[in-house]
Amino acid sequence: AVSAEVRFSDLPFFEGVESQVLADNVPAGSFNNLKFVRDSLDMEDAIPEHHVLMAADAQTSGGLLLAVPPEREGRLLEALEARGQSFWRVGAVSEGPARIRFLP
């Protein structure tokens, strides 16, 4: 089994997203996404619930999330940079229980 670690502070968001979530302007699919992973989610109590909801946003494309073995990371980053493609490191995958650790 594998564990995932995701850092909220490393997730890219469009300007204004947080204010929309705080105003309860959230698509129903985001609540469904969060419900689906809630039992597998470990996080500190200090993480605001609206941050968790932002990370579960249904308007993003999970198909754009890649898990890359460390020995191939350099080649991937070079190729992305050569193409002018934006990318963000948002976490890591490791051996462990099938859990998601959500960090601030």
Side-chain angles (χ1 to χ4, degrees), residues 1 23-24 30 36 38-40 42 44 51 57 59 61 66 73-74 92 95 98-99 101:
D24 292 326
S30 298
F36 182 77
R38 179 68 79 179
D39 291 340
S40 299
D42 298 325
E44 298 174 13
H51 283 186
D57 186 69
Q59 300 173 96
S61 177
L66 300 173
E73 180 182 18
E95 286 190 39
R99 307 287 301 164
R101 185 168 176 226

Side-chain angles (χ1 to χ4, degrees), residues 21-101:
V21 173
L22 289 170
D24 292 326
N25 188 11
V26 179
S30 298
F31 293 101
N32 293 337
N33 286 348
L34 185 53
K35 182 179 178 182
F36 182 77
V37 299
R38 179 68 79 179
D39 291 340
S40 299
L41 192 60
D42 298 325
M43 61 184 186
E44 298 174 13
D45 291 336
I47 297 177
E49 185 64 21
H50 75 281
H51 283 186
V52 181
L53 190 55
M54 288 169 64
D57 186 69
Q59 300 173 96
T60 61
S61 177
L64 297 177
L65 183 64
L66 300 173
V68 180
E71 64 273 10
R72 292 187 168 180
E73 180 182 18
R75 288 179 45 206
L76 173 65
L77 297 181
E78 287 174 12
L80 291 171
E81 288 172 356
R83 289 172 176 80
Q85 180 64 53
S86 299
F87 59 90
W88 296 264
R89 287 188 190 121
V90 299
V93 175
S94 60
E95 286 190 39
R99 307 287 301 164
I100 303 167
R101 185 168 176 226

Side-chain angles (χ1 to χ4, degrees), residues 12-18:
F13 292 99
F14 289 115
E15 187 175 326
V17 168
E18 187 167 18

